[in-house]
Amino acid sequence: MKQTKALVEGAIMISIFAVMTLFYLYVPLLAIIFFMAAPIPIILYTIRHGLKKGIAAGAIGIVISFLIGSINGLLSAPMLIAVGVGMGVFYSRRQPGQAIITGALIYLFSFLIYFVVSVQLFQVDILGVAKESIDQIMPMVESTLKQSGASDQDIAKQLKQFRELQDTALNSLPVALLIFVTLMSFVNHWFVRPLIKRFVPDMPALKKFKDMRLPKSMVWYYLLTLLLMLIQPEKGSFLSLVQTSAFQILFILVLIQGFSFIFYYCHEKNISKVVPIFAVVLTILFPPIGVIVRIIGIADIGFDLREKVKTNNSL
């Protein structure tokens, strides 16, 4: 009976996923909404029937997506289904915060995989195309500056600033990508939250910022990235991009964990909220302070500093 029920629900959820795939592939005006909503049926099915059945339903969903949308369906479906299964597993464990983090990480790694595939298999370097586009604009900018009557010295100065701005923008892409995938995961959570209450009535609310905990494996990822930074690849190469992207993303995650612990510590010690807020502002104004905050974040992840704070409070 249970097996039949799982098969019926699986067929219904896959059908809903297929309809959403049709809409986001062929109805441009509604594409974004249905793209963000597509993981919902997989999330709900995984909550109801577990990881293995969720993966099985997802595999069928990928095949159907390919039949519906050819290569476009095949490129998008694995990411959306992986997000659905990953988030569904943690929702079933009553861990909505971990569900959002998992969804963001799956989006992040999916986009990185797409980038690697586009470069290695199709020789389409998105960053290279962006740089070429900017380089094509440079003569127009120079011509405009000359027509304005600027001196050669001023023109050279303006062009230098423009190139520095270009480098800053390109180097900020990993950070922008991290923010983007986090927002995508939050949107998935916002879409599915009303439905989850029917499937999991006792689902807890999201934890406060002070209670945020990254997985312990994050320490090893951070240390591995630091070791990779010792390698000196050619500037602008693919390896250089991977190094920079990984370091910036993990830098932000560990920094956020450090701030989370500072908020937690101040709360446990009944210290005014002004203190942790001041710490955040001070770090933004004086970035070198971020080194201390990152060390705190790593220690919190790896050595359970919060447990030590709790132990001291109970004495």
Side-chain angles (χ1 to χ4, degrees):
M1 185 66 182
K2 278 188 176 182
Q3 190 71 17
T4 303
K5 188 176 182 181
L7 289 173
V8 172
E9 289 185 5
I12 293 171
M13 292 303 179
I14 291 169
S15 300
I16 294 171
F17 179 80
V19 171
M20 289 183 173
T21 301
L22 275 171
F23 272 95
Y24 76 69
L25 286 177
Y26 300 112
V27 185
L29 293 177
L30 301 174
I32 294 176
I33 295 173
F34 280 96
F35 183 84
M36 296 308 303
I40 291 177
I42 307 300
I43 290 173
L44 298 178
Y45 187 74
T46 304
I47 291 173
R48 293 271 291 169
H49 300 285
L51 176 61
K52 290 183 179 179
K53 285 187 171 62
I55 292 173
I60 297 171
I62 291 172
V63 174
I64 293 175
S65 296
F66 175 68
L67 296 175
I68 291 173
S70 186
I71 190 66
N72 290 329
L74 186 61
L75 287 174
S76 58
M79 175 177 68
L80 297 173
I81 287 170
V83 168
V85 172
M87 294 183 75
V89 167
F90 283 101
Y91 281 131
S92 67
R93 297 176 185 173
R94 276 69 171 171
Q95 297 176 335
Q98 289 295 330
I100 292 172
I101 292 172
T102 300
L105 290 175
I106 292 173
Y107 277 127
L108 178 63
F109 286 118
S110 297
F111 284 129
L112 291 177
I113 290 169
Y114 290 156
F115 178 78
V116 171
V117 170
S118 69
V119 172
Q120 299 298 322
L121 295 184
F122 303 108
Q123 283 74 51
V124 178
D125 186 353
I126 299 172
L127 289 179
V129 172
K131 287 180 180 179
E132 288 179 7
S133 299
I134 295 173
D135 289 338
Q136 291 174 1
I137 295 174
M138 292 299 291
M140 297 172 59
V141 174
E142 185 175 2
S143 175
T144 303
L145 290 172
K146 286 181 179 179
Q147 291 177 6
S148 67
S151 64
D152 291 342
Q153 185 177 0
D154 288 338
I155 291 174
K157 185 178 178 180
Q158 292 289 335
L159 291 176
K160 183 181 178 182
Q161 291 177 348
F162 189 83
R163 290 194 178 278
E164 288 175 351
L165 182 63
Q166 167 194 337
D167 293 338
T168 302
L170 292 174
N171 290 332
S172 299
L173 283 178
V175 178
L177 179 60
L178 178 61
I179 295 171
F180 179 64
V181 297
T182 303
L183 289 174
M184 288 178 70
S185 191
F186 267 106
V187 170
N188 290 147
H189 173 73
W190 182 68
F191 277 175
V192 80
R193 186 177 57 181
L195 298 171
I196 285 180
K197 290 180 179 178
R198 297 186 62 183
F199 287 86
V200 190
D202 58 341
M203 180 68 68
L206 283 175
K207 291 182 179 180
K208 296 180 180 179
F209 178 70
K210 68 180 180 64
D211 297 319
M212 190 197 81
R213 298 290 298 274
L214 292 173
K216 288 184 180 292
S217 58
M218 196 62 65
V219 174
W220 297 109
Y221 297 148
Y222 188 76
L223 294 176
L224 178 62
T225 304
L226 289 178
L227 289 175
L228 287 175
M229 293 301 290
L230 297 176
I231 303 173
Q232 297 294 328
E234 182 183 350
K235 187 176 180 182
S237 66
F238 176 72
L239 180 57
S240 175
L241 174 65
V242 171
Q243 279 184 338
T244 305
S245 301
F247 181 74
Q248 287 187 2
I249 290 168
L250 291 172
F251 173 95
I252 292 173
L253 291 175
V254 173
L255 190 68
I256 290 172
Q257 184 65 55
F259 284 132
S260 176
F261 176 78
I262 292 172
F263 274 85
Y264 175 83
Y265 182 85
C266 292
H267 177 268
E268 290 294 314
K269 298 297 183 180
N270 294 318
I271 299 172
S272 172
K273 290 182 180 179
V274 174
V275 174
I277 293 172
F278 178 73
V280 174
V281 174
L282 197 63
T283 304
I284 294 172
L285 295 176
F286 302 99
I289 296 175
V291 175
I292 300 173
V293 179
R294 290 204 310 277
I295 293 172
I296 294 172
I298 292 171
D300 184 32
I301 298 170
F303 302 106
D304 289 328
L305 292 184
R306 296 167 196 244
E307 295 301 321
K308 293 178 174 59
V309 172
K310 283 182 182 178
T311 303
N312 290 337
N313 281 348
S314 62
L315 294 178

